[in-house]
Amino acid sequence: MNSTSVEQLPIEVTSVSSDNSQQQLSKPRVAAYCRVSTAEELQLGSLENQIINYTNRIRANTDWYFAGIYSDKGKSGTSLENRIGFNRMIRNALNGEIDIIICKSISRFSRNIVDTLDTVKQLDDKGVHIIFERERLNTKDSSSSLILKVLATFAEEESRNTSENIEWALNKRFERGEVVAGSNNLYGYDISKNKGWEIVEEEAKVIREAYALFLEGYTLTDIAKEFIRSGYKKRSGEIDWNGGNIKSILTNERYTGDALSRKTCTPHFRTHKSVKNNGHKPQYYVEDHHKGIVSKEDFEEVQKIFSKYAPVKKEKVLEEVDGLERIVRNKKMMGISMNQSRYPFSSRIICAQCGKNFHRQT
């Protein structure tokens, strides 16, 4: 079985015919859940092995009726968010399509004790029970509740320890002056482990021009328009530049050769949500880490300009928010949906160069 078929594995839906309906209804409908989250597990083919194993076992058991295999690939077990296969399985089970769920272990099911216990309770209320094979635990047994709580706690603690170990390793790398390149997709540089940070001159010219135009008095929008007219391509190959793209270039210290590590962070191991690091975790600044594209003097001058206009922008934003609130109130009073923002020419005027829609602006 190849990886493509595993990722979008179809779920077999139970169908009852008039000839064998009584036979099928007398058998419990059994499904299995499989999940892998790490690159090591993916390389070992763990997901494929689990799917094949459970499919064969459920079908071979004449006392069971096969209700499908549900799987998630490369998803963390500390959160139910984005676990499409898991959420679909629970939804089907609560809708009365599954009677028994088999899972390799509690940690495969979930590493969040609250999610585990809440989900098990919801399923139990609907008469659906789960078999955790590694722990030899069946939630149908009345004595399983306390054992499940203890084992779920261990699974969550294991995830916490893993997160803390990764955090410790990252901090050590930062303390040694190492810089994590992220997605290795920083515009203007070709980043590799062997060759380091090499300047992509074609992109570097665009970055230098952005700084030069801004220091000449061009606005972010003006620079974006100039780049579109010049046909400068982004890493995506498109030329749909905007003010946000330009600002990210003008405020990134890495174009000077320095590097600030941990601009964003994940405060909690359960959510895995990345937020702007406003003092949540220590940051590390490395000077002259690589060859810069713009001078540090130009970079500092640009930051001064931004800081000069920051208070004015904040007041303008507050005015716009206040105005938007008035619009929302007025629309609600008139019974107009907030989603109604289409006009006679909406999606009808398209740019001949980039293929994007023109937008109405006043």
Side-chain angles (χ1 to χ4, degrees):
M1 181 179 294
N2 56 41
S3 58
T4 304
S5 63
V6 171
E7 218 168 332
Q8 300 294 334
L9 190 74
I11 302 302
E12 181 171 327
V13 180
T14 304
S15 59
V16 181
S17 64
S18 57
D19 296 334
N20 59 4
S21 59
Q22 293 300 321
Q23 180 185 2
Q24 290 180 357
L25 290 173
S26 64
K27 297 180 181 180
R29 294 159 295 180
V30 182
Y33 177 69
C34 313
R35 179 182 66 84
V36 293
S37 60
T38 65
E40 181 182 1
E41 289 176 325
L42 295 176
Q43 290 169 0
L44 292 173
S46 175
L47 184 60
E48 290 88 342
N49 293 336
Q50 288 181 56
I51 291 173
I52 294 171
N53 174 52
Y54 284 126
T55 300
N56 293 337
R57 284 174 53 192
I58 296 173
R59 287 188 179 278
N61 192 326
T62 57
D63 294 328
W64 287 349
Y65 186 78
F66 182 74
I69 304 292
Y70 298 80
S71 64
D72 286 304
K73 187 175 183 179
K75 303 297 181 183
S76 169
T78 55
S79 172
L80 300 184
E81 190 177 356
N82 299 324
R83 290 173 65 186
I84 298 174
F86 181 88
N87 291 325
R88 184 172 54 196
M89 176 185 69
I90 300 302
R91 186 166 58 250
N92 290 348
L94 295 177
N95 288 336
E97 300 174 25
I98 301 172
D99 300 309
I100 301 173
I101 296 172
I102 304 177
C103 191
K104 183 179 179 181
S105 66
I106 293 174
S107 62
R108 295 296 90 191
F109 190 79
S110 175
R111 288 182 179 272
N112 184 319
I113 183 172
V114 176
D115 289 341
T116 301
L117 298 180
D118 284 350
T119 304
V120 169
K121 186 179 185 307
Q122 288 183 57
L123 295 174
D124 186 61
D125 290 342
K126 292 290 184 177
V128 181
H129 58 273
I130 311 168
I131 299 174
F132 297 109
E133 295 197 303
R134 181 179 295 171
E135 294 83 2
R136 297 183 180 180
L137 188 67
N138 190 330
T139 59
K140 184 179 181 180
D141 300 334
S142 58
S143 60
S144 67
S145 179
L146 179 59
I147 300 174
L148 178 63
K149 186 174 182 179
V150 172
L151 294 177
T153 303
F154 281 125
E156 181 176 296
E157 193 61 29
E158 182 183 356
S159 182
R160 184 198 301 274
N161 291 337
T162 300
S163 178
E164 290 176 352
N165 290 337
I166 294 173
E167 180 76 12
W168 180 87
L170 275 175
N171 285 335
K172 291 301 178 183
R173 290 182 64 181
F174 294 146
E175 289 172 4
R176 291 195 299 267
E178 295 183 28
V179 175
V180 178
S183 62
N184 298 336
N185 199 31
L186 180 63
Y187 188 78
Y189 286 99
D190 182 17
I191 306 171
S192 64
K193 290 184 178 180
N194 298 330
K195 297 182 180 179
W197 294 50
E198 289 189 340
I199 295 176
V200 179
E201 196 54 43
E202 184 179 356
E203 296 175 349
K205 290 179 181 178
V206 178
I207 293 168
R208 295 189 189 103
E209 185 173 336
Y211 277 82
L213 292 175
F214 189 76
L215 291 173
E216 287 177 16
Y218 282 65
T219 66
L220 300 176
T221 303
D222 291 338
I223 298 172
K225 290 179 179 178
E226 188 65 31
F227 283 8
I228 292 173
R229 279 193 292 267
S230 300
Y232 295 153
K233 292 184 178 180
K234 298 157 67 175
R235 278 283 170 92
S236 62
E238 297 182 343
I239 60 170
D240 55 339
W241 294 89
N242 57 51
N245 302 146
I246 305 303
K247 186 174 182 180
S248 67
I249 290 176
L250 297 176
T251 55
N252 195 334
E253 82 294 333
R254 298 195 175 195
Y255 291 125
T256 69
D258 295 349
L260 175 64
S261 295
R262 190 160 278 166
K263 295 177 183 177
T264 61
C265 64
T266 51
H268 203 283
F269 77 97
R270 280 182 180 170
T271 62
H272 292 284
K273 287 186 177 179
S274 181
V275 299
K276 187 175 180 180
N277 187 7
N278 292 322
H280 299 93
K281 295 183 179 180
Q283 294 181 311
Y284 302 83
Y285 197 94
V286 181
E287 294 185 339
D288 302 320
H289 172 264
H290 53 273
K291 188 176 180 180
I293 293 175
V294 298
S295 69
K296 295 182 180 180
E297 291 75 20
D298 284 349
F299 180 80
E300 292 299 329
E301 191 64 31
V302 166
Q303 307 320 304
K304 288 179 183 178
I305 296 173
F306 276 125
S307 62
K308 179 181 177 182
Y309 290 102
V312 177
K313 183 178 179 182
K314 184 177 180 181
E315 291 174 6
K316 185 177 179 182
V317 168
L318 291 175
E319 290 177 3
E320 291 176 351
V321 169
D322 183 57
L324 180 60
E325 289 177 348
R326 288 198 299 272
I327 292 172
V328 171
R329 286 198 299 270
N330 292 337
K331 282 196 172 187
K332 285 183 176 180
M333 288 174 65
M334 293 185 290
I336 300 175
S337 170
M338 286 303 296
N339 294 325
Q340 291 179 345
S341 57
R342 296 183 65 80
Y343 305 95
F345 292 101
S346 294
S347 302
R348 294 187 178 184
I349 305 177
I350 301 173
C351 176
Q353 293 184 0
C354 69
K356 298 291 183 179
N357 291 328
F358 275 70
H359 296 278
R360 180 179 182 273
Q361 200 161 0
T362 58

